[in-house]
Amino acid sequence: MLRAKLSVVPAFALVASLSALLMGCSSTTNVDKTAGWSTSRIYSEAKDEVSAGAYDKAVPLFEKLEGRAAGTPLAQQAELEKAYAQYKAGEQAQAIATLDRFIRLHPASPGMDYALYMKGIVNFNDNLGLFANITRQDLSERDQKAAKDSFESFKELSTRFPDSRYTPDARQRMVYIVNSLAQYEVHVARYYYSRGAYVAAINRAQIAVTEYRDVPAAQEALVILAKSYDALGMTQLRDDARRVLEKNYADGADLSNRSLKNKASDPWWKIW
C-alpha cells in the first residue's frame, strides 16, 4: 500500500508542474507590451508602423490609443488613422465600419470632413477592384453600388464643407463617378444590343440619356437607341434619336460607321 501511494506522488507533481508551466506561457503571450507606454509613444509607434507600410501592426496600436486617450481629440485622431491603416491593409469593410462609427459618434468633430472624404475614397477604390489594372476592366464595367456610395460621401463632404482641403479632389471624383455610372448603363445597353435584345438595350440606353445629362456616354447611348429602334422597325423613334444626335454632336448622324465598343484608355485614377 505504501508503494502504491508513493508512486502516485511523482505523477501528481508532474501534472502540477506542467500546469504551472502552461499557465506561465499563457500569461507571457498575453503581456501587453504597451502597458507602460505613454499615449504619445503609442501614437509615435503606430505612425512608424504606417510609415513602414506595416498597416496590420499599426491598427492594434491605434486601437490601444483609442482606449487610453478616450474622450480626447487624440482618441478621435487615432480612430481616423486606424481607418486609414485598415484601408491600406486591404480591410475595406473594417475601414468603412470604423468611419461610420466615427461619423455617428462625433458629428461635430473637426475631422468630420476627412472622415467623409476617406469613406468616399475607400468605396471609390474598392469599386475599381484588385485586378482592374490587370484585366483592363474599366470601373464602368463593374457593379456600381460602391461607386454610388462613394459619390454620396463626396457629395456630403462638398455640401457640408465646401472650403475643406479635401473638397476639390472629391468634386473631381464625383465627376468621374457620374460619367462612370452613365457609361455603365451604356455598357449594359451595348451588351443587350449585341445579343439582339433590342428592347432591353433601349431601356438601359434611355437611363444614360435621361438620368445622366451632359456626359460623354450620352452620345453612344443615343447611337444605341437609334440602332435598336431601327432594328425593331420603329422608324419615328429612330429618327428622333438621329435628330438629337445631329443637334448635339457634329458627327452624330453617321451611325453606319460608328462602333459600339469603347476605345481602351487609361482613366485619370490609374496614376495610383
Side-chain angles (χ1 to χ4, degrees):
M1 290 296 292
L2 181 58
R3 289 179 181 176
K5 288 182 180 181
L6 288 174
S7 65
V8 172
V9 174
F12 177 78
L14 179 61
V15 171
S17 299
L18 287 173
S19 298
L21 179 62
L22 289 173
M23 289 178 65
C25 291
S26 176
S27 62
T28 300
T29 57
N30 292 330
V31 169
D32 180 5
K33 69 175 185 178
T34 69
W37 294 6
S38 65
T39 54
S40 60
R41 181 180 175 185
I42 297 175
Y43 183 67
S44 177
E45 293 284 343
K47 293 288 286 183
D48 286 346
E49 297 292 6
V50 169
S51 297
Y55 304 108
D56 57 329
K57 295 180 180 179
V59 169
L61 289 173
F62 284 128
E63 289 175 343
K64 288 286 184 183
L65 185 56
E66 282 184 73
R68 301 275 181 87
T72 69
L74 183 58
Q76 294 183 24
Q77 182 70 22
E79 194 169 1
L80 289 174
E81 297 203 38
K82 180 181 74 172
Y84 174 79
Q86 289 170 325
Y87 157 62
K88 295 295 286 183
E91 300 175 348
Q92 284 88 350
Q94 293 90 328
I96 291 295
T98 297
L99 292 165
D100 281 341
R101 180 177 180 274
F102 181 92
I103 292 168
R104 185 178 68 255
L105 296 180
H106 311 291
S109 172
M112 181 57 68
D113 60 337
Y114 177 77
L116 292 169
Y117 178 70
M118 271 306 302
K119 186 176 178 182
I121 289 293
V122 174
N123 277 316
F124 183 87
N125 285 282
D126 180 53
N127 188 260
L128 299 183
L130 181 62
F131 302 106
N133 289 348
I134 298 175
T135 63
R136 304 290 299 177
Q137 184 182 46
D138 188 76
L139 190 153
S140 64
E141 297 177 336
R142 300 177 57 82
D143 177 73
Q144 298 296 287
K145 182 182 183 304
K148 292 176 181 178
D149 290 343
S150 179
F151 183 87
E152 289 303 316
S153 295
F154 290 142
K155 180 180 178 181
E156 185 176 355
L157 166 62
S158 61
T159 300
R160 292 178 58 185
F161 306 98
D163 299 323
S164 169
R165 58 184 291 195
Y166 306 109
T167 296
D169 183 68
R171 286 175 174 159
Q172 282 188 300
R173 292 172 190 270
M174 287 169 68
V175 171
Y176 173 74
I177 291 169
V178 169
N179 289 339
S180 171
L181 292 172
Q183 186 60 53
Y184 174 70
E185 298 300 334
V186 171
H187 172 74
V188 177
R190 189 192 311 124
Y191 171 87
Y192 284 132
Y193 177 85
S194 67
R195 284 156 179 75
Y198 302 119
V199 173
I202 288 168
N203 290 336
R204 299 309 287 258
Q206 282 179 333
I207 293 174
V209 172
T210 58
E211 293 189 12
Y212 304 101
R213 300 179 182 277
D214 302 321
V215 297
Q219 184 175 10
E220 187 179 359
L222 286 166
V223 171
I224 294 173
L225 281 174
K227 284 181 170 288
S228 297
Y229 285 135
D230 187 57
L232 293 172
M234 305 173 74
T235 56
Q236 183 175 347
L237 291 173
R238 176 202 64 196
D239 293 342
D240 289 342
R242 282 175 179 265
R243 278 191 292 271
V244 175
L245 275 166
E246 292 170 356
K247 180 179 179 180
N248 292 280
Y249 305 99
D251 58 347
D254 183 17
L255 300 178
S256 58
N257 297 321
R258 187 175 299 281
S259 171
L260 295 182
K261 179 68 176 178
N262 287 343
K263 295 180 180 179
S265 61
D266 289 342
W268 62 267
W269 44 260
K270 284 191 68 177
I271 60 175
W272 300 320

